[in-house]
Amino acid sequence: MTAALLAGLLAGYGIAIPVGAVGTYLVSLTARTSLRTGVCAALGVATADGLYALAAVLGGSALASALRPALGPLRWVCVLVLAALAARGAAGALRQHRDRRLTMRAVPPPPGALRAFLALLGLTLLNPTTVIYFAALVLGSQGGSAAGAAERTVLVTAAFAASASWQVLLAGGGALLGRALTGHRGRLMTALVASGVMTALALRMALTPA
């Protein structure tokens, strides 16, 4: 049981700690909205990681074999989604900044908690890095099929908890950043920097050989 717990924690932190496009978007989203929205988005990321961990321990090597043909299409879908999010974030930040300076029009409401959860859940499920990571985890766990139901449950729960704790930490950092950058110009720069980072990561993903 202890081995399953440690394996789950290592798997969860292993996929969560490297801050890529999803983490960048999470921090930016929380900085522009609220901690509640950010935490819900963070739980969306962790839920996707937990679902892949569950599929890994249940599907075994058959899952990894089935995922291989889909990795290429998933990579390009993820590239397009990231590019669209980056463009939308930059355009939205510029529009809000312009409207607040030139007019008194109301700013569109930020995404709600449920919408943020579903958006980050979907984006993480499309992320080929997550797919490849858990597929490799399956292939490397030769004894996974022999594990009992209790050990599998502990592993999946630990992976979810590890991912959730790190993503919530990122959301908290985004909330602190949002409080520090209370001015319109500060929030604009945050959104533009995040969009630039996401665009660069999407280009890198597109140009990296599969």
Side-chain angles (χ1 to χ4, degrees), residues 176-203:
L176 292 176
L177 180 63
R179 290 192 183 97
L181 301 174
T182 53
H184 300 327
R185 182 171 298 178
R187 290 181 181 270
L188 172 65
M189 294 306 299
T190 301
L192 292 179
V193 169
S195 294
V197 171
M198 290 173 62
T199 301
L201 290 170
L203 288 173

Side-chain angles (χ1 to χ4, degrees), residues 30-149:
T30 312
R32 291 183 288 111
T33 56
S34 66
L35 179 60
R36 178 173 178 267
T37 299
V39 168
C40 289
L43 292 179
V45 178
T47 299
D49 290 342
L51 289 174
Y52 274 126
L54 177 62
V57 299
L58 293 180
S61 59
L63 171 68
S65 299
L67 286 176
R68 284 195 190 98
L71 292 181
L74 281 176
R75 175 185 297 273
W76 286 106
V77 170
C78 191
V79 167
L80 293 174
V81 170
L82 288 175
L85 286 173
R88 180 180 179 184
L94 289 170
R95 183 175 60 252
Q96 290 182 16
H97 184 71
R98 181 195 63 212
D99 289 347
R100 282 173 171 171
R101 288 185 61 187
L102 301 181
T103 73
M104 297 300 292
R105 286 181 292 177
V107 177
L114 178 59
R115 181 180 169 188
F117 173 86
L118 294 176
L120 270 294
L121 171 64
L123 181 59
T124 309
L125 288 175
L126 288 174
N127 187 1
T129 302
T130 309
V131 179
I132 295 169
Y133 178 82
F134 281 106
L137 179 66
V138 170
L139 293 175
S141 303
Q142 299 298 327
S145 59

